[in-house]
Amino acid sequence: MRRIALVLLMPLFLAACGAEPTWAPDDAVQRSLYRHDGPPTITLFTVISNQNGSGGHSAIMVNGSHRAIFDPAGTFQHPALPERNDVVFGMSDKAVQFYNDYHARVTWHVVRQDVVVSPEVAEAALQRIQSYGAVPKAMCAQATSSILNDLPGFQHVPQTFSPIAVMNAFDNIPGVKKSVFRDDSPANNDFIKAPAVL
């Protein structure tokens, strides 16, 4: 009975959370598009607690015809990086570094996992992240796992609410490269000054 009640109340919970739709104008998006010269790649970012190892956030970056990050229900922003419904455009190497700096602090670290894919899979991923829509709070892993699960080569990624489960499944992809970003900055990231140029 409790399970049925939870299922029936879930839409109300999601409505209360409320996604925050954002829609940058076409000219801002076009001006900011960044084309990285590396291979087509799908990158998973997982923000992990330094205190108990739990997952705090999950995001996907895609390098295809351009490079963008899907930061579902995230708070990351920069005036030079236009956003459309949790997709942030213009992800240069400096912007990616700023993304890591924004999330890593004394209480959290960031795990980055990169997988080289075909150009077709990268373009499919870009289309998926751009059409997904704004994501309600606490639904980041559900959104990232849903997108990944729909892509060739990533079908084993379970649809889940756990950033750690997504990260662990991503670890099993052949050729995955992992790196960890740590920072001893204070727990509150309000002090971070956005660089003027990215």
Side-chain angles (χ1 to χ4, degrees):
M1 187 67 177
R2 282 179 58 198
R3 186 177 295 168
I4 293 171
L6 286 172
V7 169
L8 292 174
L9 289 173
M10 184 60 80
L12 294 175
F13 168 74
L14 294 179
C17 283
E20 298 175 11
T22 304
W23 197 260
D26 288 346
D27 60 335
V29 171
Q30 288 302 315
R31 275 197 313 271
S32 73
L33 290 182
Y34 174 77
R35 291 168 179 83
H36 191 270
D37 58 4
T41 306
I42 294 179
T43 300
L44 178 70
F45 292 101
T46 309
V47 182
I48 301 175
S49 169
N50 290 334
Q51 297 169 329
N52 59 25
S54 63
H57 190 54
S58 183
I60 301 170
M61 183 169 69
V62 182
N63 184 41
S65 55
H66 63 92
R67 192 161 75 173
I69 191 166
F70 179 56
D71 190 44
T75 57
F76 173 77
Q77 57 184 327
H78 186 283
L81 303 174
E83 177 189 340
R84 284 186 171 175
N85 289 342
D86 294 332
V87 177
V88 182
F89 298 89
M91 293 304 294
S92 66
D93 290 341
K94 277 189 174 181
V96 174
Q97 180 67 33
F98 179 54
Y99 183 84
N100 285 332
D101 283 339
Y102 179 84
H103 288 94
R105 55 198 95 144
V106 69
T107 48
W108 300 94
H109 67 276
V110 179
V111 173
R112 173 177 174 165
Q113 295 161 287
D114 296 285
V115 174
V116 174
V117 296
S118 69
E120 293 77 18
V121 169
E123 289 311 303
L126 277 175
Q127 290 175 8
R128 290 278 286 134
I129 66 174
Q130 291 177 89
S131 63
Y132 195 88
V135 177
K137 298 299 182 192
M139 301 286 283
C140 58
Q142 192 280 329
T144 56
S145 62
S146 174
I147 285 172
L148 290 169
N149 182 265
D150 197 41
L151 295 171
F154 296 84
Q155 296 94 333
H156 72 285
V157 175
Q159 293 194 23
T160 177
F161 289 90
S162 166
I164 298 296
V166 181
M167 181 184 73
N168 289 341
F170 212 88
D171 246 350
N172 293 324
I173 299 170
V176 66
K177 293 184 178 178
K178 180 188 283 189
S179 55
V180 179
F181 185 85
R182 297 181 184 273
D183 196 324
D184 59 0
S185 300
N188 186 341
N189 68 3
D190 289 343
F191 74 93
I192 293 178
K193 296 288 189 275
V197 179
L198 288 177

